[in-house]
Amino acid sequence: MLIVAGSGPTPRDGVEIGTVKQPIYRDIAEYLAARGFAVLRYDKRCVGQSECKKPNVFDDYIDDARLSAEFLKKQPQVDPAKVFLFGHSEGGYIISSIAAHEDAKYAGVILAASPGRHLHKLMRDQLKSRMTEAGKKPEEVDAYLAKFDRVIRGMQGGRTDFSAEKLDEKDLSDALLISLIKQREIVVSLFINDPLQIVNNIQAPTLILQGKKDIQVAVKDAEFIEEAMKRASREDVTLYLLDDVDHLFKTNKGAATVASYMDASRPVDPAMLTILTDWLLKKAK
């Protein structure tokens, strides 16, 4: 199985939030390796041991994952007919793009907390939740979201000058918009392309995993994906909604908050690992 990480400069082991390391990909890989699976993970561009060749377009990230999958298929201990793709968060969008290619042949696809909406719609909900959790007044949240909408519309329309917005790099919310503007060539395709149109073309069996306490990708995203694939007559689609599981696929018995991500002691959810393993073994026969 190839594990494709979520957004940002993510190393092979897992998500890093400030100084907190959440080695979720390593934990999943070690769990599966103990059950007979060969698992490949990789450092994304400009992180870990990968060279820092900055992408020109988002498709560069897709190419990195596709070439990694081809590398995995060529390994002598791997049956190329039994290679699975596991994509977490943005990684789900990436593996969908690979598996949707007409020549793609994979044993199965696992979409773990994969977005079922355009990126800017997902980000808008995330920002609203985070600002509300941080105690921002409703009028402050509304004002920022209006600015967010203006910037996104401008980027979609090809605009490059946003000086009129008076964005402040010291403000965390504005810093996000500045980052998006600087990466316009990369992120605009994610604002425009509909993930549901891509998953419609996946030919392989598909497992959709979604935590109910995920505050970055919503349950409705997973349901949108399932509905879109079934409408496209993709019959081998399985959706699991997991109780007390967050975006990191860790068990979370408490409140679903950003602050909970700072607790690295929580384990990857055992129920999710069991569901994943059982499904993989079934499809690998």
Side-chain angles (χ1 to χ4, degrees):
M1 186 169 78
L2 173 69
I3 294 180
V4 180
S7 61
T10 309
R12 73 189 76 176
D13 281 352
V15 180
E16 295 186 354
I17 307 167
T19 59
V20 177
K21 295 182 179 181
Q22 297 277 12
I24 54 175
Y25 307 138
R26 185 190 67 196
D27 291 346
I28 293 171
E30 289 179 349
Y31 181 90
L32 292 175
R35 287 153 181 79
F37 287 88
V39 184
L40 175 63
R41 300 169 284 131
Y42 62 93
D43 296 326
K44 292 179 72 175
R45 295 181 180 219
C46 299
V47 69
Q49 296 183 50
S50 289
E51 63 175 310
C52 194
K53 185 177 181 181
K54 293 184 178 180
N56 295 312
V57 291
F58 189 79
D59 280 0
D60 289 338
Y61 288 116
I62 297 174
D63 287 341
D64 290 344
R66 178 179 54 79
L67 292 171
S68 297
E70 291 177 3
F71 172 82
L72 181 59
K73 286 183 176 182
K74 292 176 182 177
Q75 300 313 300
Q77 70 271 41
V78 173
D79 182 344
K82 295 183 179 181
V83 169
F84 294 84
L85 302 175
F86 180 104
H88 176 234
S89 195
E90 182 181 271
Y93 178 92
I94 291 174
I95 66 165
S96 296
S97 300
I98 298 170
H101 195 277
E102 60 182 9
D103 296 328
K105 294 182 180 180
Y106 294 98
V109 170
I110 301 96
L111 302 176
S114 186
R117 291 168 287 164
H118 294 82
L119 176 64
H120 62 281
K121 293 181 180 179
L122 201 66
M123 291 182 68
R124 194 181 195 279
D125 281 357
Q126 292 174 359
L127 288 164
K128 184 176 181 179
S129 296
R130 290 179 185 180
M131 293 180 77
T132 301
E133 181 183 329
K136 297 289 185 181
K137 296 179 180 178
E139 54 268 28
E140 289 182 82
V141 177
D142 290 343
Y144 178 77
L145 292 178
K147 178 166 60 176
F148 176 86
D149 292 340
R150 290 195 301 271
V151 171
I152 298 303
R153 284 196 301 269
M155 292 175 66
Q156 290 174 319
R159 183 177 158 197
T160 58
D161 182 5
F162 294 91
S163 56
E165 295 293 346
K166 297 181 174 57
L167 300 174
D168 182 2
E169 290 185 354
K170 295 180 181 179
D171 181 280
L172 292 178
S173 298
D174 278 357
L176 172 63
L177 287 175
I178 293 170
S179 175
L180 292 175
I181 293 166
K182 289 180 178 179
Q183 302 177 73
R184 191 181 67 83
E185 293 81 2
I186 298 172
V187 299
V188 162
S189 62
L190 296 176
F191 294 155
I192 296 173
N193 294 333
D194 184 354
L196 299 184
Q197 294 299 319
I198 298 172
V199 298
N200 281 348
N201 294 311
I202 295 176
Q203 302 295 327
T206 303
L207 173 64
I208 306 167
L209 298 172
Q210 179 63 47
K212 290 185 179 180
K213 287 190 175 178
D214 189 335
I215 58 173
Q216 290 181 251
V217 177
V219 166
K220 64 182 177 182
D221 286 278
E223 293 173 338
F224 289 160
I225 292 172
E226 180 194 33
E227 181 181 0
M229 295 189 74
K230 289 188 173 179
R231 283 187 176 181
S233 300
R234 304 291 177 243
E235 296 180 358
D236 198 346
V237 179
T238 304
L239 167 64
Y240 280 98
L241 301 178
L242 302 158
D243 295 324
D244 294 324
V245 173
D246 63 16
H247 189 67
L248 300 175
F249 284 93
K250 289 196 164 192
T251 304
N252 183 2
K253 295 294 185 180
T257 63
V258 175
S260 67
Y261 289 6
M262 306 306 288
D263 180 6
S265 67
R266 294 180 296 115
V268 172
D269 189 68
M272 185 279 287
L273 291 172
T274 299
I275 290 168
L276 173 62
T277 306
D278 289 349
W279 186 85
L280 288 170
L281 291 171
K282 180 180 178 181
K283 300 304 176 183
K285 290 181 180 179

Short mmCIF file of all heavy atoms in Angstrom, two decimals, residues 4 40 78 89 157 272:
data_model
loop_
_atom_site.label_atom_id
_atom_site.label_comp_id
_atom_site.label_asym_id
_atom_site.label_seq_id
_atom_site.Cartn_x
_atom_site.Cartn_y
_atom_site.Cartn_z
N VAL A 4 -0.38 8.33 0.95
CA VAL A 4 -0.17 9.70 0.46
C VAL A 4 -0.70 10.67 1.52
O VAL A 4 -1.87 10.62 1.90
CB VAL A 4 -0.86 9.93 -0.89
CG1 VAL A 4 -0.63 11.36 -1.38
CG2 VAL A 4 -0.35 8.93 -1.93
N LEU A 40 4.56 1.72 1.58
CA LEU A 40 5.50 2.76 1.17
C LEU A 40 4.97 4.12 1.61
O LEU A 40 3.81 4.45 1.36
CB LEU A 40 5.70 2.75 -0.35
CG LEU A 40 6.57 3.87 -0.93
CD1 LEU A 40 8.00 3.78 -0.41
CD2 LEU A 40 6.56 3.82 -2.46
N VAL A 78 6.52 -7.33 -3.95
CA VAL A 78 5.17 -6.78 -4.09
C VAL A 78 4.48 -7.36 -5.32
O VAL A 78 5.07 -7.41 -6.41
CB VAL A 78 5.22 -5.24 -4.19
CG1 VAL A 78 3.84 -4.67 -4.51
CG2 VAL A 78 5.73 -4.63 -2.89
N SER A 89 -6.82 13.07 3.77
CA SER A 89 -7.15 14.47 3.57
C SER A 89 -6.86 14.88 2.11
O SER A 89 -7.41 14.27 1.20
CB SER A 89 -6.37 15.33 4.57
OG SER A 89 -6.89 16.63 4.65
N GLY A 157 -10.53 34.30 -10.76
CA GLY A 157 -10.67 35.13 -11.95
C GLY A 157 -9.34 35.58 -12.55
O GLY A 157 -9.34 36.36 -13.51
N MET A 272 -10.80 1.77 13.49
CA MET A 272 -10.44 2.13 12.12
C MET A 272 -9.42 1.15 11.55
O MET A 272 -9.53 0.70 10.40
CB MET A 272 -9.89 3.56 12.08
CG MET A 272 -9.60 4.08 10.67
SD MET A 272 -8.03 3.53 9.92
CE MET A 272 -6.87 4.51 10.88
#
